[in-house]
Amino acid sequence: MTKIVLAMGTSHGPMLSTPPADWDLRVRADRAEPAHPFRGRTYDFEALMALRASEGLEAQVALAAREAHAARCHAALEVLAQALHDAAPDVVVIVGNDQREVFGPAITPALWLYGGESVFDEPVSAARLAKMPPGISISSAAIKPEARTEYPAHAALARHLATAFTDRGHDITFSTEVPQRGNDGPTGMPHAFGFVYQRLMHGRVPPHVPIMLNTFYAPNQPRATRCVDLGLALRDALSAWPQEVRVALIASGGLSHFVIDEAFDRALLDAMARADNAYLRGIDEALLQSGTSEVKNWLPVIAAANAEAMTMQLVDYVPCYRSAAGTGNAMGFVLWHPSN
């Protein structure tokens, strides 16, 4: 019988792979963005500065604060990596998202499930790095392998999940190859997965099933309630899998960004702690935009963990600000352990 031996959620933002002294390299792009989503409305940078002036965020962006935040994040990632190593799963299911790394604007699946025998990842090409904004190129290079590397996937479990999800009313895009877009050569898997391969698995990737949600791009973003339903279907499908395997579930992305909203994050973490699926289903779609939309990668894992009555452990929550306007990335690191 399949057993879920561990579940986890991790942020994967570029600031986790960028030296704290360079976090403000992205502020130029923050200033240029005319429509930052924040609490259901959009603001330009100067409007955010005015809106959040009373929060005293200047202290949060001082270099000493950035270095302290980065140290906490790195310590939390090591806790997650050690937990994954100790759990020694036979198979891992990773839920992440794509940001035009695999699928271009012409085709955007709401829910993609990979069913091939292996995936690959490789260093970012010089041409692609040259096109990336400051702060992104550093991170992108840091979470890629030194050379093209293939990692094992679990095709049989993927086909089982695809059938089970379809039976539960989820429309699946299923493929046995990873599409590669652009003119700068293949990129391998999206950074949501590359981060897990390198920072949590340290390149020792077990057989796994990648599930990719379209969290960013309207109009076919799966809604929160569908993401919860997907997690319940995932747990039931794993329970029905006849092989005796140990499975870990990993959610990659979030929490609030590119404008940090600590109130939103705390409410989410509180709902997770009390296994409140109703709250998760009811999260306003207007709050799940831009980078904060990656919370949807967590919802299937949370729902599956709740259905298994697993015990949640908040490893850390670190709001990593890079400007006094509140831009940055709130980092969340969570484990769920079996109840018996």
Side-chain angles (χ1 to χ4, degrees):
M1 177 180 177
T2 299
K3 179 177 177 59
I4 301 175
V5 297
L6 184 70
M8 66 173 64
T10 180
S11 297
H12 67 224
M15 294 164 74
L16 292 174
S17 304
T18 305
D22 292 333
W23 282 4
D24 55 2
L25 291 176
R26 285 285 293 155
V27 176
R28 183 187 304 173
D30 294 337
R31 289 183 178 278
E33 172 57 53
H36 289 282
F38 180 63
R39 297 181 178 172
R41 298 181 61 186
T42 59
Y43 302 86
D44 65 20
F45 188 86
E46 295 304 321
L48 276 176
M49 286 283 288
L51 181 70
R52 309 194 70 173
S54 64
E55 296 183 43
L57 297 179
E58 292 84 358
Q60 297 283 352
V61 299
L63 181 57
R66 283 183 270 166
E67 290 175 338
H69 293 157
R72 285 174 57 188
C73 289
H74 295 160
L77 284 169
E78 286 307 308
V79 171
L80 265 60
Q82 188 64 51
L84 185 61
H85 177 269
D86 293 344
D90 302 306
V91 186
V92 178
V93 177
I94 305 174
V95 184
N97 62 293
D98 177 45
Q99 288 175 241
R100 303 297 194 218
E101 297 153 278
V102 171
F103 294 99
I107 301 176
T108 307
L111 172 57
W112 176 78
L113 179 62
Y114 180 72
E117 297 289 344
S118 66
V119 298
F120 76 92
D121 212 1
E122 63 179 32
V124 187
S125 69
R128 191 174 294 274
L129 282 174
K131 295 179 181 179
M132 291 180 177
I136 298 295
S137 57
I138 297 172
S139 171
S140 297
I143 61 171
K144 290 291 188 174
E146 294 182 358
R148 181 185 172 103
T149 307
E150 287 202 11
Y151 302 121
H154 202 299
L157 179 56
R159 292 191 69 86
H160 170 74
L161 293 179
T163 300
F165 291 166
T166 303
D167 287 343
R168 293 280 283 265
H170 295 279
D171 296 321
I172 304 296
T173 298
F174 182 84
S175 67
T176 56
E177 295 182 2
V178 179
Q180 297 296 314
R181 65 178 296 262
N183 300 318
D184 301 324
T187 62
M189 291 293 285
H191 70 278
F193 300 88
F195 183 88
V196 172
Y197 299 155
Q198 301 304 322
R199 296 300 299 274
L200 297 184
M201 298 174 173
H202 302 303
R204 299 182 293 273
V205 180
H208 67 294
V209 178
I211 297 175
M212 198 163 70
L213 304 179
N214 169 36
T215 72
F216 264 78
Y217 305 106
N220 64 328
Q221 300 148 295
R223 302 318 193 230
T225 192
R226 293 295 286 162
C227 296
V228 172
D229 287 341
L230 182 69
L232 299 177
L234 172 61
R235 181 261 186 173
D236 291 347
L238 291 173
S239 296
W241 179 244
Q243 296 186 18
E244 293 190 8
V245 293
R246 296 162 55 82
V247 179
L249 310 179
I250 301 178
S252 177
L255 295 177
S256 65
H257 67 294
F258 301 102
V259 181
I260 294 175
D261 186 348
E262 293 188 49
F264 170 85
D265 294 328
R266 291 293 183 185
L268 173 68
L269 292 168
D270 288 347
M272 289 161 54
R274 62 178 185 267
D276 189 347
N277 282 359
Y279 177 91
L280 302 175
R281 289 181 183 278
I283 299 175
D284 189 343
E285 187 70 13
L287 301 178
L288 294 172
Q289 299 301 315
S290 189
T292 309
S293 71
E294 292 175 349
V295 166
K296 292 178 178 180
N297 297 335
W298 287 52
L299 296 181
V301 172
I302 299 167
N306 290 348
E308 284 286 294
M310 301 178 79
T311 301
M312 176 185 157
Q313 174 192 354
L314 175 59
V315 176
D316 209 347
Y317 168 73
V318 190
C320 294
Y321 291 94
R322 62 176 175 247
S323 80
T327 58
N329 197 150
M331 309 297 184
F333 310 97
V334 174
L335 293 169
W336 287 266
H337 306 278
S339 56
N340 52 50

